[in-house]
Amino acid sequence: MAKIVIDPITRVEGHMKVEAVVEGGVVREARSSGMMYRGLENILKERDPRDAARIMQRICGVCPTSHGLTAAYALDEVYGVNGSITDNGRILRNLIQGANFVQSHILHFYHLAALDYVDVTALADYGGDDPGLKKVREFIGRGALGPFMPRYEGDYRLTKAENRQAVGSYVKALDLRRLAHEAVAIFGGKMPHNMSIVAGGVTATPSVDKMTSFLWKIDQLIDFIDGHYLPDVLMVAGRYSDYFGIGVGCKQFMSFGCFDLDSNPDLTKRKRWLPQGIVGADLKLRPLDPTKITEDVQSSWFRDNGPVHPYDGETVPDRDKAGAYSWIKSPRYDGQVMEVGPLARMLAGYANGDTEIQSMVNGVLAHFGAGPSALFSTLGRHAARAIECKLVAQKLKNWVLELKPGEPTFTDFPLEVTNRGMGLHEAPRGALGHWLDVQGGKVKNYQAVVPTTWNAGPMDTKGQPGPMEQSLIGTKVKDEKNPFELVRIVRAYDPCLSCAVHVVTPKGEDLGRFVVAAQ
Ligand code: NFE
Ligand code: MG
């Protein structure tokens, strides 16, 4: 029996540890742990609720727009304007959020995941003129290999030409991500942490100049997605096609739905481009009942009052709790484990009859001669993310042309309220919910339940491991010293620990000391 510990396993955004007990070359037990403690929920207490749309974005620099937007949805309900967001406000929110999706998906494939498959040393004797690739060759020549090393050695399967193609895209993707950030900033003011999404709509106003600039950037992003991202994912999938059967997971998926097409005050009835619901292996979409969401802290370093709905949730650390092994909580839907993310969204859209999604998903499956069950896998997660990236970028082009310069973007409201509010939307990594309770115009309680919390959460009271843990258990590990299988499985979920452990003590106390081993 061997124990493999990978700490940290994430390439950015916080420390996540994975421990796997391997017996006879197969993972028998797996533990996913969030190894840091933060605290945005507690910071909100007693503040003006409107601060939530700014402060909650500080959960993360990768998906701040999602936290600002989901906070704004919750605040729309608190202030009673959830049924009266103007068309301009709704569309601007979609554009800001959509441009961040595109950036985040490109970031994930190239800069967080690709180096698990692509051998950068293929550039060591590069003799061409591409400035980006020459830079990579120089890095290799000097032995200065960060961020490419350290890495596991052995299972790199692309040809030299394919590795060079992928590294070329890796370098180009840096520029394209900047372009996507600039697209967010056109209507969001800046990126990260936009200034314009607020309760009641958006403070930015559309103009023909801004719309043209946005369109021009999105066009270049679409060229990159068509010319690099989609072909590179297919190329990697071709060489590593066994990963269509590795990392299967819990086969239960949840999407809160995203990109509003109307302003129905009830978020379970609001028309959204990507639909809301629960999908199982039968590919049938069932409606979501948000009252069935709970957070369990049985295996988390928090005071335990049993699984509770987020409106009743609390964030009280207990670092010495017996049996706990993570700062991440374990969210459940109707007591069940749920995977969230691009795969969940593409499955929800597929099951709902979206012909664009069906055609792209079927195209990828046909390319590999695979059936729908291949989607429940490590490569299924990469493919779903790439498909979504392309479809979101196309939608952005259409939506920006629906803006009406000169018409309102914001609906005003009175501030002295006592009310509760729920925000449900999707972040790039999956379903994101914010719940807040406001009394006498001040925040009494704030709870965020975040995508990586769903995916990377630990075992619950019923003994059910979280989705990533389920993906790891049963995996064959060929070389325990180079556990490619484990890092590829975990990274395909695109975990973000800053989001997952978004809690901190109000006084910034030191809650524990951790030794972070080199990967
Ligand atoms: Ni820090 Fe985030 C996304 C959110 S993941 S990246 O996407 O919310 O939990
Ligand atoms: Mg939380």
Side-chain angles (χ1 to χ4, degrees):
M1 190 175 87
K3 189 167 171 186
I4 298 174
V5 180
I6 308 165
D7 182 8
I9 194 164
T10 33
R11 286 197 165 97
V12 291
E13 292 293 345
H15 296 299
M16 176 179 176
K17 176 172 77 166
V18 160
E19 292 181 328
V21 175
V22 180
E23 237 176 10
V26 176
V27 177
R28 302 292 173 197
E29 285 174 37
R31 277 182 164 194
S32 146
S33 303
M35 299 305 289
M36 64 181 195
Y37 182 69
R38 302 177 66 232
L40 280 292
E41 290 161 326
N42 290 340
I43 288 172
L44 258 293
K45 286 187 179 168
E46 297 305 321
R47 283 184 181 269
D48 184 317
R50 291 171 299 170
D51 288 351
R54 306 278 73 75
I55 291 175
M56 293 309 277
Q57 291 192 61
R58 272 63 191 177
I59 284 177
C60 180
V62 175
C63 65
T65 55
S66 311
H67 289 287
L69 180 55
T70 306
Y73 282 124
L75 294 169
D76 290 345
E77 183 178 357
V78 164
Y79 292 118
V81 286
N82 46 342
S84 46
I85 302 301
T86 65
D87 279 346
N88 269 350
R90 172 181 64 76
I91 295 163
L92 286 167
R93 285 174 170 188
N94 288 345
L95 298 178
I96 293 167
Q97 178 71 345
N100 179 244
F101 263 55
V102 172
Q103 186 282 137
S104 181
H105 288 359
I106 294 172
L107 158 73
H108 174 258
F109 183 67
Y110 288 106
H111 303 133
L112 303 182
L115 295 177
D116 296 341
Y117 305 91
V118 175
D119 181 5
V120 74
T121 64
L123 273 296
D125 58 354
Y126 176 68
D129 290 334
D130 183 281
L133 294 184
K134 277 163 70 178
K135 194 60 116 188
V136 173
R137 187 197 59 203
E138 262 172 51
F139 268 47
I140 296 170
R142 293 204 313 262
L145 283 173
F148 308 124
M149 304 275 181
R151 64 176 196 176
Y152 292 128
E153 295 297 340
D155 187 25
Y156 294 103
R157 306 182 198 165
L158 302 186
T159 65
K160 193 169 194 176
E162 289 169 340
N163 277 314
R164 287 182 171 186
Q165 173 187 320
V167 177
S169 303
Y170 178 109
V171 174
K172 199 168 171 49
L174 294 166
D175 281 336
L176 272 293
R177 283 176 48 213
R178 183 181 56 207
L179 205 67
H181 278 326
E182 288 169 2
V184 171
I186 289 172
F187 298 117
K190 69 187 186 67
M191 175 67 200
H193 309 130
N194 80 78
M195 296 305 292
S196 70
I197 293 180
V198 293
V202 172
T203 57
T205 52
S207 66
V208 172
D209 280 12
K210 290 184 203 167
M211 290 159 66
T212 313
S213 172
F214 189 87
L215 205 51
W216 178 74
K217 291 178 199 304
I218 297 302
D219 264 337
Q220 291 178 73
L221 285 157
I222 290 175
D223 283 349
F224 179 79
I225 297 163
D226 286 341
H228 293 262
Y229 187 9
L230 288 168
D232 288 344
V233 169
L234 291 177
M235 176 176 78
V236 165
R239 296 287 179 195
Y240 295 86
S241 56
D242 45 330
Y243 280 83
F244 275 119
I246 294 176
V248 174
C250 62
K251 292 204 233 173
Q252 298 180 108
F253 300 88
M254 183 180 72
S255 166
F256 287 166
C258 58
F259 300 113
D260 288 356
L261 302 178
D262 70 16
S263 184
N264 191 315
D266 181 343
L267 290 185
T268 66
K269 300 203 170 60
R270 188 170 287 185
K271 197 159 175 253
R272 288 178 157 169
W273 168 51
L274 293 177
Q276 187 176 83
I278 307 292
V279 189
D282 59 0
L283 292 185
K284 297 250 165 25
L285 186 66
R286 296 186 296 285
L288 177 96
D289 175 358
T291 65
K292 293 184 175 169
I293 293 168
T294 53
E295 281 197 300
D296 184 316
V297 293
Q298 157 97 359
S299 303
S300 318
W301 288 305
F302 295 107
R303 184 167 79 190
D304 194 353
N305 292 321
V308 287
H309 185 272
Y311 273 135
D312 305 314
E314 58 171 33
T315 305
V316 183
D318 178 1
R319 179 65 183 87
D320 300 317
K321 191 167 127 188
Y325 61 94
S326 184
W327 287 115
I328 307 177
K329 297 179 180 179
S330 308
R332 295 291 180 260
Y333 178 79
D334 204 12
Q336 296 180 320
V337 178
M338 290 286 154
E339 175 176 340
V340 301
L343 178 57
R345 289 191 288 265
M346 291 301 96
L347 290 173
Y350 190 100
N352 203 37
D354 183 310
T355 51
E356 284 170 320
I357 293 174
Q358 287 179 342
S359 144
M360 283 201 74
V361 170
N362 290 341
V364 170
L365 291 173
H367 184 87
F368 293 101
S373 65
L375 295 168
F376 313 136
S377 68
T378 298
L379 284 179
R381 293 181 186 99
H382 283 297
R385 196 173 285 110
I387 290 169
E388 180 177 81
C389 192
K390 161 81 175 173
L391 293 174
V392 169
Q394 276 177 335
K395 289 287 172 199
L396 292 177
K397 273 187 78 167
N398 301 337
W399 291 334
V400 70
L401 297 175
E402 292 172 12
L403 287 170
K404 296 202 173 79
E407 295 203 1
T409 61
F410 172 74
T411 308
D412 211 351
F413 46 82
L415 294 177
E416 275 302 312
V417 291
T418 292
N419 202 359
R420 300 200 305 189
M422 171 181 73
L424 298 179
H425 204 259
E426 289 279 319
R429 285 153 196 77
L432 174 62
H434 286 200
W435 285 261
L436 85 157
D437 189 3
V438 175
Q439 297 201 357
K442 296 274 186 246
V443 175
K444 176 142 181 295
N445 194 20
Y446 204 105
Q447 290 289 310
V449 185
V450 174
T452 298
T453 318
W454 286 95
N455 286 338
M459 186 177 278
D460 62 24
T461 317
K462 294 200 274 184
Q464 301 179 103
M468 273 186 209
E469 292 177 336
Q470 291 194 31
S471 279
L472 291 166
I473 293 166
T475 300
K476 288 196 187 117
V477 179
K478 287 191 199 117
D479 173 4
E480 285 162 11
K481 295 212 163 41
N482 292 287
F484 277 104
E485 296 87 352
L486 308 190
V487 290
R488 287 172 183 158
I489 289 171
V490 170
R491 289 177 186 147
Y493 278 93
D494 194 2
C496 173
L497 267 286
S498 298
C499 282
V501 291
H502 45 269
V503 284
V504 78
T505 56
K507 294 188 183 125
E509 291 146 20
D510 188 1
L511 288 156
R513 293 185 178 278
F514 308 106
V515 178
V516 179
Q519 195 170 302

